[in-house]
Amino acid sequence: FLSDEDKVRIINNLTEDVKTIIRREFILSTFKDAFRDDVTAGLLKEYTRQHAPEKLVEIEQKHIEVYEKRHLRIVEKIGAIRVSH
């Protein structure tokens, strides 16, 4: 095991690019266990908002578009079912 001093020394020598990679890997690995609006998902979303806000907006927009398309198809199917009955 590394001592706390060794850990701090290693962290202080990391480049910003490496720190970004580590953050992203942490977020991705933790999101695998998150579900919708649970505490884990909320905390990770807030963390991402602070550290990669441009990516969060991009991801949210992508999922909103998918949701809206699916929702529209469901509404159309419900309308077709109501008309046929």
Side-chain angles (χ1 to χ4, degrees):
F1 293 100
L2 295 173
S3 69
D4 289 341
E5 293 82 19
D6 289 336
K7 291 175 188 176
V8 170
R9 185 177 42 77
I10 291 169
I11 291 169
N12 287 337
N13 288 323
L14 295 175
T15 66
E16 283 305 311
D17 288 341
V18 172
K19 288 178 184 178
T20 299
I21 290 168
I22 292 170
R23 281 187 203 108
R24 287 181 183 161
E25 288 301 314
F26 168 78
I27 291 168
L28 291 174
S29 68
T30 308
F31 263 133
K32 291 177 185 174
D33 297 327
F35 182 75
R36 292 189 191 180
D37 294 327
D38 69 1
V39 174
T40 303
L43 291 171
L44 286 168
K45 190 172 180 179
E46 184 61 32
Y47 179 87
T48 305
R49 183 174 283 115
Q50 289 176 359
H51 295 282
E54 68 287 346
K55 291 293 184 185
L56 181 61
V57 170
E58 180 182 321
I59 292 167
E60 286 178 328
Q61 282 303 115
K62 176 181 150 189
H63 290 285
I64 288 170
E65 289 174 18
V66 170
Y67 167 80
E68 288 174 350
K69 288 177 185 177
R70 289 180 182 172
H71 179 72
L72 180 60
R73 285 195 303 265
I74 290 169
V75 169
E76 289 170 352
K77 288 178 182 180
I78 291 171
I81 291 170
R82 286 185 177 159
V83 168
S84 66
H85 283 97

